Amino acid sequence: MHTPTPGRHRGWPVLSCVAAAAALTLAGCNSDYEADPVEIRATSNRADMVSGGDVTLQIVLPAGGRTDGLRVDVGGRDVTSAFQLQADGTYRGVVTGLADGANVITAATLNTRPAALTVTNAPRHGPVFSGAQIKPFYCATPVQQVVNGIVPASNASGLSGAPDANCNIATEFKLYYRSTTAGCSLGLPDATAAMAPTATTVPANPTPPANLCFKPYTAGTTPADMATTTTDAGVTVPYIVRVERGTMNRGIYDIAVLHNPAQGWNALAPQAGWNGKVVFNFGASTGQPRRQARPATAWTGSDLQLRRGVMVVANSMTDSARNSNRVMMSETVMMMKEHITDTYGPVKFTIGSGCSGGSINSNMAASIMPGLLDGVTTTCTYPDSETTSMEVGDCVVLVEAYQKPGWLALQAGLTQAQINARKAAINGHPDQSACHAWYNAFGSNGRAGLYNQRLVANNVTGAIFQQPTATNNCELPNSAVYDPARPTETANLPRCNAWSWGESIWGKVTGSPAAKDTRDNVGVQYGLKALQTGAISAEEFVTINELVGGIDRDSTPRAERSVADADALPIAYRSGIVASGRQLAKTAIIDMRGWDDSNIAENLPPGYTPNQIPIHHQWFSFGIRDRIVAEAGNANNQALWRFARTGLTPPGTMAFDAFLTMDQWLTTLKADTSAASIEAKVRSAKPAGAADFCILPSDATQTVKVTNAATCDADPYLKPTFSPRQIAGGPRAEDVLKCQLKPLVRTDYAAGTFSDAQWARLQAVFSTGVCDWSKPGVGQQAAVSPLTFSAGPGGAVLPAAPVSVPK
């Protein structure tokens, strides 16, 4: 530790000119200062977005500034001992004990003028910029607790300490070693799995497998079966992993990294086993429960990264199943990265990874707050939740419409195959099963309160049944949430859809506790392209558009179309919540696109094992590419690796190959110190191995990479299909939440398409007009993210990051 040199300025240097002191300037008089002020830089995060009570600072000396006599204080508290002189002539240190709110950091050396930097610190439980946190929210406990009245059963935290009122739990550290035992099972047993919210008994812990790849380690011992590993930096160490478990932004996190327990570790002196790289694992699905839980992604599944010296990170608030507020999710990533920098040392680069909802969060972090992730490697990819919900919503209203008497009567006399061919043509999918899957898996996810779930019971006919027992999406007892059947009595109870979970972003409807949302299908002509190709008749086209209707803000079906809140739409675009091609172009992307478009046996690729919920459609990856091309000129920052035979799981070593390729890509990117834009740097750094390719489903070995795009596109299982809204005329980018309207004009259709009676019915359906897809969507605009929602819903552009000023 550097010890400041004693001398004439153990306190702040004294000005020899009183007038100059009053004016805080040295101009025009003599002084004891010989150099300009130092510069104080916050390096673990922006100075106005710090959290957890600590921050890493760098103190840069001006020309002529001497390194001796450093003094640093925080509001008068001397923290000089936290700083060390670096080889480049700067000082670096981690200042701890920051108060919530503004903290003035002041620094100078023996011959430099003092400078001050205001650091604004948020508590460990947040928020930083996502706005007011949702309440009520129930903390996890050391041991699972059963339901108690309106308080749901608690999940076990995996921590021994009790939570405080903000769900903060004392951090713990545990050691594990990698066993050399042949055939060891992958992963540690998890005795803290989520507990049903209405559970009245605590489940028994699972029995651990007989052999574990990772076993608990006692410091100072050398187990006979302990492995060694050599990192990608060439450092050979015992394969011991330290797992830090704690809470951040009300989520429970795990940080796993190679660790030598015989050596110390701090941010100024990281251990050699860590290469400075971070993989952030995002959890799948989507939901908005009000209960704290452990992250869904276990660190034990990342052996190939850990053994190379990579740090593996997960937080339950970045699991899509636990948190559908994408701004809060991005905030959590930011807070975790700052904590890593303040605790472990500088991060070289961060790779986001995930499937399904995990891919949403990977893309959302890159769009909402560019720079959080340097690269992403995703599978079963969606661009974002806001636009993906359009296909979900369209499928829900179509599946319901197909069971209404008017449509069933129209199909009388047709075979089931003929009926399903019409559904597929309207849906845009290979068959009816994909919309059935959306309906069953996420069709009720938008329900704001109590509901009885409706499910497709027959995948061939689409017949629907309704569950007899009510439930809710908050994971709370039914008596504790809003009930649409009793709207007045329960108006102020928690609402359970994604928009209410994110009401700090969207705001509330005037005079209502309901949150604003973006769902809309006004003017959408379902089945338009199917009509134009003759796949459905004019009568079928008119009828389905008469029957499809929409939903209200509680997601209750209604005859009228769904209508978005007009002022919610610009928020979605400006904030980057609708994944922005312009923002995504700043991130290196490897998208491993598998096949998941059907679960009907005759429509599956050769060798494919059917997935019961085929919702990860191939067109989503191409939609992302279309957005990047439209907003950034080209999509050379995106690599698309296609396959079909193995479903959603990349064949062979593809997933690890993606990690290695991304590692190479980002290593080259970080070495580029030119003045080029980040978009240009990302494209320039792209390695040859990141080129697009496909593996044909006819390839039994699943090893031959085909780089000819035409060959890939010609394969029926690699060629993207469509969505209901694309069949209605919308763009494949699927980034129009609400379309602008144009008049319904008969000459826009082939002559003789409609009878006069059919045309009159169509005019009644589209009395305000039909979608004009040649125009941007209502409220559609370029992202200016990141936004801060600290002042309330709607968001404001972040000001320039604070800098130090002369004192």
Side-chain angles (χ1 to χ4, degrees):
M1 189 70 69
H2 172 73
T3 302
T5 303
R8 54 183 173 170
H9 299 316
R10 285 302 295 123
W12 293 114
V14 178
L15 297 177
S16 60
C17 175
V18 175
L24 294 178
T25 178
L26 297 177
C29 64
N30 296 322
S31 77
D32 289 339
Y33 296 116
E34 300 168 4
D36 290 334
V38 298
E39 180 185 358
I40 309 171
R41 299 175 182 172
T43 58
S44 54
N45 203 352
R46 287 173 52 119
D48 56 349
M49 300 179 80
V50 166
S51 62
D54 47 22
V55 63
T56 303
L57 298 175
Q58 181 184 33
I59 297 175
V60 182
L61 274 62
R66 299 214 305 266
T67 60
D68 54 348
L70 174 71
R71 175 179 167 125
V72 186
D73 78 30
V74 181
R77 175 170 59 95
D78 190 344
V79 294
T80 309
S81 61
F83 288 80
Q84 291 182 7
L85 183 63
Q86 307 296 300
D88 62 359
T90 68
Y91 284 96
R92 192 160 63 92
V94 180
V95 174
T96 61
L98 298 177
D100 290 348
N103 297 261
V104 179
I105 314 283
T106 311
T109 60
L110 192 63
N111 73 329
T112 61
R113 293 177 60 199
L117 174 68
T118 300
V119 172
T120 305
N121 173 63
R124 190 179 183 90
H125 57 265
V128 180
F129 63 86
S130 65
Q133 291 176 322
I134 199 79
K135 294 181 180 180
F137 183 79
Y138 295 91
C139 308
T141 50
V143 177
Q144 293 173 326
Q145 302 294 317
V146 300
V147 65
N148 180 16
I150 64 170
V151 177
S154 69
N155 294 314
S157 64
L159 292 160
S160 58
D164 67 13
N166 294 301
C167 296
N168 295 311
I169 308 173
T171 302
E172 297 177 7
F173 301 88
K174 294 183 179 180
L175 298 173
Y176 301 89
Y177 73 93
R178 179 76 178 185
S179 172
T180 58
T181 304
C184 64
S185 60
L186 289 176
L188 288 169
D190 188 353
T192 60
M195 187 180 185
T198 55
T200 55
T201 59
V202 177
N205 291 338
T207 302
N211 296 307
L212 301 174
C213 286
F214 289 100
K215 296 181 179 180
Y217 175 74
T218 300
T221 65
T222 308
D225 63 335
M226 185 166 68
T228 60
T229 186
T230 301
T231 72
D232 62 7
V235 179
T236 300
V237 294
Y239 196 164
I240 300 170
V241 176
R242 187 179 79 169
V243 178
E244 175 187 346
R245 178 167 298 157
T247 55
M248 186 72 70
N249 214 15
R250 302 196 303 183
I252 299 173
Y253 68 81
D254 285 342
I255 297 173
V257 67
L258 290 177
H259 180 78
N260 184 343
Q263 297 177 358
W265 191 332
N266 61 63
L268 301 183
Q271 287 193 7
W274 180 40
N275 57 20
K277 303 170 186 177
V278 173
V279 166
F280 208 115
N281 288 323
F282 296 98
S285 191
T286 193
Q288 45 282 334
R290 295 183 182 230
R291 300 191 301 154
Q292 188 181 42
R294 287 269 308 282
T297 306
W299 62 268
T300 50
S302 298
D303 164 58
L304 294 175
Q305 286 78 22
L306 287 167
R307 66 169 59 245
R308 293 174 61 84
V310 176
M311 179 181 287
V312 176
V313 181
N315 183 308
S316 58
M317 276 299 178
T318 67
D319 281 353
S320 189
R322 308 304 306 180
N323 175 19
S324 57
N325 181 328
R326 311 301 169 176
V327 174
M328 188 205 307
M329 178 278 301
S330 301
E331 172 184 73
T332 305
V333 177
M334 180 194 74
M335 295 171 74
M336 289 296 299
K337 286 191 64 179
E338 183 201 333
H339 172 67
I340 292 167
T341 303
D342 292 339
T343 307
Y344 294 87
V347 174
K348 289 182 180 177
F349 55 72
T350 306
I351 302 172
S353 183
C355 164
S356 194
S359 72
I360 288 176
N361 280 350
S362 297
N363 289 324
M364 285 287 84
S367 178
I368 290 171
M369 202 167 189
L372 273 183
L373 305 177
D374 300 288
V376 300
T377 59
T378 59
T379 56
C380 24
T381 306
Y382 299 119
D384 56 67
S385 53
E386 212 65 23
T387 60
T388 301
S389 68
M390 291 196 298
E391 186 177 57
V392 182
D394 288 340
C395 280
V396 167
V397 294
L398 286 168
V399 167
E400 290 280 359
Y402 295 144
Q403 297 302 308
K404 292 178 180 178
W407 179 264
L408 293 174
L410 200 58
Q411 306 300 296
L414 298 177
T415 66
Q416 191 63 54
Q418 290 173 321
I419 294 170
N420 287 340
R422 285 158 170 76
K423 293 178 182 178
I426 296 169
N427 299 349
H429 304 146
D431 53 56
Q432 74 282 1
S433 66
C435 264
H436 292 169
W438 272 130
Y439 186 93
N440 284 358
F442 292 101
S444 298
N445 195 59
R447 294 280 189 166
L450 296 186
Y451 66 94
N452 293 80
Q453 187 170 15
R454 292 168 62 79
L455 297 167
V456 172
N458 188 311
N459 202 29
V460 177
T461 66
I464 297 170
F465 81 97
Q466 182 167 293
Q467 297 279 16
T469 304
T471 187
N472 68 82
N473 294 323
C474 285
E475 289 189 2
L476 298 181
N478 285 345
S479 59
V481 302
Y482 166 69
D483 183 356
R486 299 185 300 124
T488 302
E489 304 96 307
T490 63
N492 293 316
L493 291 179
R495 294 175 182 248
C496 307
N497 61 15
W499 295 273
S500 288
W501 179 252
E503 67 183 31
S504 64
I505 310 304
W506 309 108
K508 293 183 179 182
V509 177
T510 303
S512 169
K516 299 171 184 176
D517 75 55
T518 65
R519 293 172 290 179
D520 194 285
N521 67 344
V522 174
V524 175
Q525 299 184 76
Y526 291 102
L528 176 62
K529 291 184 178 179
L531 170 69
Q532 293 168 339
T533 62
I536 62 173
S537 69
E539 181 60 26
E540 288 168 329
F541 174 76
V542 174
T543 299
I544 197 65
N545 280 288
E546 285 177 321
L547 296 176
V548 74
I551 55 173
D552 63 16
R553 64 180 68 258
D554 292 336
S555 294
T556 304
R558 66 183 190 185
E560 299 81 20
R561 297 290 182 105
S562 309
V563 180
D565 293 292
D567 47 356
L569 298 167
I571 298 172
Y573 292 107
R574 294 176 66 249
S575 64
I577 291 174
V578 171
S580 159
R582 174 174 170 267
Q583 302 293 55
L584 292 179
K586 300 173 183 178
T587 304
I589 298 172
I590 298 178
D591 183 344
M592 293 168 277
R593 170 50 67 188
W595 192 90
D596 190 37
D597 284 28
S598 171
N599 62 14
I600 303 295
E602 57 267 28
N603 293 333
L604 304 180
Y608 178 80
T609 301
N611 176 19
Q612 294 306 305
I613 50 169
I615 57 176
H616 307 91
H617 306 149
Q618 295 203 39
W619 71 262
F620 282 107
S621 293
F622 292 87
I624 294 170
R625 176 160 290 187
D626 289 353
R627 294 190 197 184
I628 298 173
V629 170
E631 296 185 43
N634 67 64
N636 290 341
N637 69 302
Q638 181 203 40
L640 187 54
W641 297 358
R642 286 184 273 170
F643 55 94
R645 191 181 182 102
T646 56
L648 295 176
T649 303
T653 63
M654 182 185 286
F656 189 57
D657 292 345
F659 166 75
L660 294 177
T661 303
M662 184 58 70
D663 184 295
Q664 179 185 0
W665 194 341
L666 297 182
T667 299
T668 304
L669 173 64
K670 291 300 181 179
D672 186 349
T673 59
S674 72
S677 67
I678 184 61
E679 297 90 337
K681 289 183 179 182
V682 169
R683 295 165 182 164
S684 176
K686 185 177 182 179
D692 290 355
F693 69 82
C694 73
I695 297 179
L696 297 173
S698 57
D699 175 10
T701 67
Q702 290 293 281
T703 58
V704 179
K705 297 179 181 179
V706 177
T707 57
N708 185 302
T711 302
C712 298
D713 292 342
D715 188 283
Y717 300 107
L718 298 175
K719 182 178 181 179
T721 52
F722 307 94
S723 71
R725 204 152 294 205
Q726 290 165 45
I727 296 298
R732 186 170 64 179
E734 199 116 315
D735 55 357
V736 175
L737 295 170
K738 178 180 178 63
C739 65
Q740 294 195 55
L741 301 177
K742 63 180 182 180
L744 180 69
V745 178
R746 197 162 185 171
T747 54
D748 285 345
Y749 308 86
T753 298
F754 303 107
S755 68
D756 290 345
Q758 289 169 336
W759 184 252
R761 290 161 57 198
L762 209 58
Q763 286 177 310
V765 172
F766 298 112
S767 59
T768 58
V770 295
C771 287
D772 185 349
W773 300 110
S774 68
K775 296 179 179 179
V778 176
Q780 189 168 7
Q781 56 194 271
V784 290
S785 49
L787 301 181
T788 174
F789 295 84
S790 297
V797 176
L798 283 174
V803 296
S804 60
V805 295
K807 180 175 171 60

PDB file of all heavy atoms in Angstrom, residues 2-11 66-71 80 109-111:
ATOM      1  N   HIS A   2       0.580   2.187  -0.850  1.00  0.00           N
ATOM      2  CA  HIS A   2       1.378   3.415  -0.905  1.00  0.00           C
ATOM      3  C   HIS A   2       1.078   4.283   0.312  1.00  0.00           C
ATOM      4  O   HIS A   2      -0.070   4.486   0.695  1.00  0.00           O
ATOM      5  CB  HIS A   2       1.025   4.197  -2.175  1.00  0.00           C
ATOM      6  CG  HIS A   2       1.649   5.555  -2.218  1.00  0.00           C
ATOM      7  ND1 HIS A   2       2.982   5.754  -2.455  1.00  0.00           N
ATOM      8  CD2 HIS A   2       1.112   6.792  -2.023  1.00  0.00           C
ATOM      9  CE1 HIS A   2       3.242   7.055  -2.436  1.00  0.00           C
ATOM     10  NE2 HIS A   2       2.126   7.695  -2.175  1.00  0.00           N
ATOM     11  N   THR A   3       2.117   4.789   0.941  1.00  0.00           N
ATOM     12  CA  THR A   3       1.964   5.696   2.080  1.00  0.00           C
ATOM     13  C   THR A   3       2.262   7.113   1.649  1.00  0.00           C
ATOM     14  O   THR A   3       3.348   7.391   1.126  1.00  0.00           O
ATOM     15  CB  THR A   3       2.927   5.307   3.220  1.00  0.00           C
ATOM     16  OG1 THR A   3       2.659   3.972   3.598  1.00  0.00           O
ATOM     17  CG2 THR A   3       2.743   6.234   4.416  1.00  0.00           C
ATOM     18  N   PRO A   4       1.312   8.040   1.790  1.00  0.00           N
ATOM     19  CA  PRO A   4       1.557   9.423   1.378  1.00  0.00           C
ATOM     20  C   PRO A   4       2.780   9.994   2.074  1.00  0.00           C
ATOM     21  O   PRO A   4       3.057   9.725   3.237  1.00  0.00           O
ATOM     22  CB  PRO A   4       0.275  10.149   1.795  1.00  0.00           C
ATOM     23  CG  PRO A   4      -0.760   9.071   1.854  1.00  0.00           C
ATOM     24  CD  PRO A   4      -0.035   7.841   2.314  1.00  0.00           C
ATOM     25  N   THR A   5       3.546  10.826   1.325  1.00  0.00           N
ATOM     26  CA  THR A   5       4.751  11.438   1.842  1.00  0.00           C
ATOM     27  C   THR A   5       4.408  12.580   2.783  1.00  0.00           C
ATOM     28  O   THR A   5       3.636  13.473   2.448  1.00  0.00           O
ATOM     29  CB  THR A   5       5.611  11.985   0.684  1.00  0.00           C
ATOM     30  OG1 THR A   5       5.880  10.913  -0.204  1.00  0.00           O
ATOM     31  CG2 THR A   5       6.898  12.591   1.196  1.00  0.00           C
ATOM     32  N   PRO A   6       4.991  12.586   3.993  1.00  0.00           N
ATOM     33  CA  PRO A   6       4.741  13.720   4.903  1.00  0.00           C
ATOM     34  C   PRO A   6       5.298  15.015   4.303  1.00  0.00           C
ATOM     35  O   PRO A   6       6.230  15.010   3.519  1.00  0.00           O
ATOM     36  CB  PRO A   6       5.507  13.328   6.168  1.00  0.00           C
ATOM     37  CG  PRO A   6       5.717  11.845   6.067  1.00  0.00           C
ATOM     38  CD  PRO A   6       5.845  11.566   4.601  1.00  0.00           C
ATOM     39  N   GLY A   7       4.750  16.117   4.669  1.00  0.00           N
ATOM     40  CA  GLY A   7       5.258  17.380   4.137  1.00  0.00           C
ATOM     41  C   GLY A   7       4.358  18.530   4.487  1.00  0.00           C
ATOM     42  O   GLY A   7       3.531  18.459   5.387  1.00  0.00           O
ATOM     43  N   ARG A   8       4.463  19.566   3.707  1.00  0.00           N
ATOM     44  CA  ARG A   8       3.793  20.813   4.049  1.00  0.00           C
ATOM     45  C   ARG A   8       2.289  20.740   3.871  1.00  0.00           C
ATOM     46  O   ARG A   8       1.576  21.623   4.318  1.00  0.00           O
ATOM     47  CB  ARG A   8       4.343  21.928   3.172  1.00  0.00           C
ATOM     48  CG  ARG A   8       4.265  21.631   1.688  1.00  0.00           C
ATOM     49  CD  ARG A   8       4.878  22.714   0.829  1.00  0.00           C
ATOM     50  NE  ARG A   8       4.911  22.296  -0.568  1.00  0.00           N
ATOM     51  CZ  ARG A   8       5.212  23.107  -1.554  1.00  0.00           C
ATOM     52  NH1 ARG A   8       5.508  24.365  -1.308  1.00  0.00           N
ATOM     53  NH2 ARG A   8       5.225  22.678  -2.789  1.00  0.00           N
ATOM     54  N   HIS A   9       1.778  19.702   3.150  1.00  0.00           N
ATOM     55  CA  HIS A   9       0.348  19.680   2.841  1.00  0.00           C
ATOM     56  C   HIS A   9      -0.294  18.391   3.331  1.00  0.00           C
ATOM     57  O   HIS A   9      -0.888  17.670   2.544  1.00  0.00           O
ATOM     58  CB  HIS A   9       0.124  19.843   1.333  1.00  0.00           C
ATOM     59  CG  HIS A   9       0.648  21.129   0.789  1.00  0.00           C
ATOM     60  ND1 HIS A   9       0.464  22.330   1.416  1.00  0.00           N
ATOM     61  CD2 HIS A   9       1.363  21.386  -0.332  1.00  0.00           C
ATOM     62  CE1 HIS A   9       1.031  23.298   0.706  1.00  0.00           C
ATOM     63  NE2 HIS A   9       1.598  22.746  -0.366  1.00  0.00           N
ATOM     64  N   ARG A  10      -0.151  18.061   4.604  1.00  0.00           N
ATOM     65  CA  ARG A  10      -0.868  16.885   5.092  1.00  0.00           C
ATOM     66  C   ARG A  10      -2.353  17.154   5.124  1.00  0.00           C
ATOM     67  O   ARG A  10      -3.147  16.251   5.014  1.00  0.00           O
ATOM     68  CB  ARG A  10      -0.377  16.495   6.487  1.00  0.00           C
ATOM     69  CG  ARG A  10       0.964  15.827   6.470  1.00  0.00           C
ATOM     70  CD  ARG A  10       1.001  14.545   5.607  1.00  0.00           C
ATOM     71  NE  ARG A  10       0.137  13.510   6.150  1.00  0.00           N
ATOM     72  CZ  ARG A  10      -0.825  12.950   5.473  1.00  0.00           C
ATOM     73  NH1 ARG A  10      -1.089  13.326   4.229  1.00  0.00           N
ATOM     74  NH2 ARG A  10      -1.561  11.996   6.003  1.00  0.00           N
ATOM     75  N   GLY A  11      -2.731  18.415   5.294  1.00  0.00           N
ATOM     76  CA  GLY A  11      -4.106  18.803   5.033  1.00  0.00           C
ATOM     77  C   GLY A  11      -4.181  19.244   3.588  1.00  0.00           C
ATOM     78  O   GLY A  11      -3.266  19.007   2.809  1.00  0.00           O
ATOM     79  N   ARG A  66       3.052  15.662  -9.100  1.00  0.00           N
ATOM     80  CA  ARG A  66       3.893  14.671  -8.442  1.00  0.00           C
ATOM     81  C   ARG A  66       3.020  13.606  -7.791  1.00  0.00           C
ATOM     82  O   ARG A  66       1.879  13.859  -7.396  1.00  0.00           O
ATOM     83  CB  ARG A  66       4.780  15.347  -7.391  1.00  0.00           C
ATOM     84  CG  ARG A  66       5.730  16.384  -7.967  1.00  0.00           C
ATOM     85  CD  ARG A  66       7.049  16.417  -7.196  1.00  0.00           C
ATOM     86  NE  ARG A  66       6.859  16.625  -5.760  1.00  0.00           N
ATOM     87  CZ  ARG A  66       6.891  17.821  -5.172  1.00  0.00           C
ATOM     88  NH1 ARG A  66       7.051  18.914  -5.911  1.00  0.00           N
ATOM     89  NH2 ARG A  66       6.751  17.939  -3.868  1.00  0.00           N
ATOM     90  N   THR A  67       3.575  12.414  -7.656  1.00  0.00           N
ATOM     91  CA  THR A  67       2.804  11.308  -7.102  1.00  0.00           C
ATOM     92  C   THR A  67       2.802  11.281  -5.584  1.00  0.00           C
ATOM     93  O   THR A  67       2.002  10.560  -4.986  1.00  0.00           O
ATOM     94  CB  THR A  67       3.354   9.964  -7.613  1.00  0.00           C
ATOM     95  OG1 THR A  67       4.728   9.841  -7.209  1.00  0.00           O
ATOM     96  CG2 THR A  67       3.243   9.861  -9.108  1.00  0.00           C
ATOM     97  N   ASP A  68       3.688  12.056  -4.956  1.00  0.00           N
ATOM     98  CA  ASP A  68       3.752  11.981  -3.505  1.00  0.00           C
ATOM     99  C   ASP A  68       2.728  12.919  -2.871  1.00  0.00           C
ATOM    100  O   ASP A  68       2.225  13.847  -3.487  1.00  0.00           O
ATOM    101  CB  ASP A  68       5.159  12.296  -2.990  1.00  0.00           C
ATOM    102  CG  ASP A  68       5.670  13.636  -3.513  1.00  0.00           C
ATOM    103  OD1 ASP A  68       5.039  14.199  -4.427  1.00  0.00           O
ATOM    104  OD2 ASP A  68       6.703  14.099  -2.997  1.00  0.00           O
ATOM    105  N   GLY A  69       2.421  12.624  -1.623  1.00  0.00           N
ATOM    106  CA  GLY A  69       1.520  13.485  -0.863  1.00  0.00           C
ATOM    107  C   GLY A  69       0.061  13.334  -1.221  1.00  0.00           C
ATOM    108  O   GLY A  69      -0.730  14.249  -0.972  1.00  0.00           O
ATOM    109  N   LEU A  70      -0.351  12.182  -1.774  1.00  0.00           N
ATOM    110  CA  LEU A  70      -1.764  12.004  -2.118  1.00  0.00           C
ATOM    111  C   LEU A  70      -2.637  12.050  -0.874  1.00  0.00           C
ATOM    112  O   LEU A  70      -2.307  11.479   0.163  1.00  0.00           O
ATOM    113  CB  LEU A  70      -1.980  10.663  -2.823  1.00  0.00           C
ATOM    114  CG  LEU A  70      -3.446  10.302  -3.100  1.00  0.00           C
ATOM    115  CD1 LEU A  70      -4.016  11.186  -4.198  1.00  0.00           C
ATOM    116  CD2 LEU A  70      -3.579   8.827  -3.467  1.00  0.00           C
ATOM    117  N   ARG A  71      -3.757  12.762  -1.013  1.00  0.00           N
ATOM    118  CA  ARG A  71      -4.805  12.704   0.001  1.00  0.00           C
ATOM    119  C   ARG A  71      -6.144  12.617  -0.701  1.00  0.00           C
ATOM    120  O   ARG A  71      -6.408  13.363  -1.645  1.00  0.00           O
ATOM    121  CB  ARG A  71      -4.774  13.931   0.914  1.00  0.00           C
ATOM    122  CG  ARG A  71      -5.968  13.914   1.903  1.00  0.00           C
ATOM    123  CD  ARG A  71      -5.982  15.078   2.828  1.00  0.00           C
ATOM    124  NE  ARG A  71      -7.280  15.157   3.499  1.00  0.00           N
ATOM    125  CZ  ARG A  71      -7.451  15.180   4.815  1.00  0.00           C
ATOM    126  NH1 ARG A  71      -6.412  15.081   5.609  1.00  0.00           N
ATOM    127  NH2 ARG A  71      -8.663  15.293   5.330  1.00  0.00           N
ATOM    128  N   THR A  80      -7.418   7.811   1.964  1.00  0.00           N
ATOM    129  CA  THR A  80      -6.192   7.757   1.171  1.00  0.00           C
ATOM    130  C   THR A  80      -5.600   6.361   1.139  1.00  0.00           C
ATOM    131  O   THR A  80      -5.057   5.923   0.111  1.00  0.00           O
ATOM    132  CB  THR A  80      -5.161   8.734   1.748  1.00  0.00           C
ATOM    133  OG1 THR A  80      -5.768  10.024   1.903  1.00  0.00           O
ATOM    134  CG2 THR A  80      -3.944   8.854   0.854  1.00  0.00           C
ATOM    135  N   THR A 109      -2.602  15.742  -4.821  1.00  0.00           N
ATOM    136  CA  THR A 109      -1.289  15.310  -4.380  1.00  0.00           C
ATOM    137  C   THR A 109      -0.550  16.528  -3.831  1.00  0.00           C
ATOM    138  O   THR A 109      -1.113  17.629  -3.739  1.00  0.00           O
ATOM    139  CB  THR A 109      -0.495  14.647  -5.514  1.00  0.00           C
ATOM    140  OG1 THR A 109      -0.328  15.592  -6.574  1.00  0.00           O
ATOM    141  CG2 THR A 109      -1.205  13.406  -6.013  1.00  0.00           C
ATOM    142  N   LEU A 110       0.715  16.347  -3.516  1.00  0.00           N
ATOM    143  CA  LEU A 110       1.461  17.387  -2.810  1.00  0.00           C
ATOM    144  C   LEU A 110       1.488  18.713  -3.564  1.00  0.00           C
ATOM    145  O   LEU A 110       1.385  19.772  -2.965  1.00  0.00           O
ATOM    146  CB  LEU A 110       2.894  16.896  -2.553  1.00  0.00           C
ATOM    147  CG  LEU A 110       3.717  17.728  -1.586  1.00  0.00           C
ATOM    148  CD1 LEU A 110       3.091  17.711  -0.202  1.00  0.00           C
ATOM    149  CD2 LEU A 110       5.151  17.200  -1.530  1.00  0.00           C
ATOM    150  N   ASN A 111       1.609  18.662  -4.906  1.00  0.00           N
ATOM    151  CA  ASN A 111       1.761  19.922  -5.638  1.00  0.00           C
ATOM    152  C   ASN A 111       0.626  20.185  -6.614  1.00  0.00           C
ATOM    153  O   ASN A 111       0.765  20.986  -7.522  1.00  0.00           O
ATOM    154  CB  ASN A 111       3.101  19.931  -6.391  1.00  0.00           C
ATOM    155  CG  ASN A 111       3.094  19.012  -7.601  1.00  0.00           C
ATOM    156  OD1 ASN A 111       2.413  17.990  -7.591  1.00  0.00           O
ATOM    157  ND2 ASN A 111       3.850  19.364  -8.632  1.00  0.00           N
TER     158      ASN A 111
END
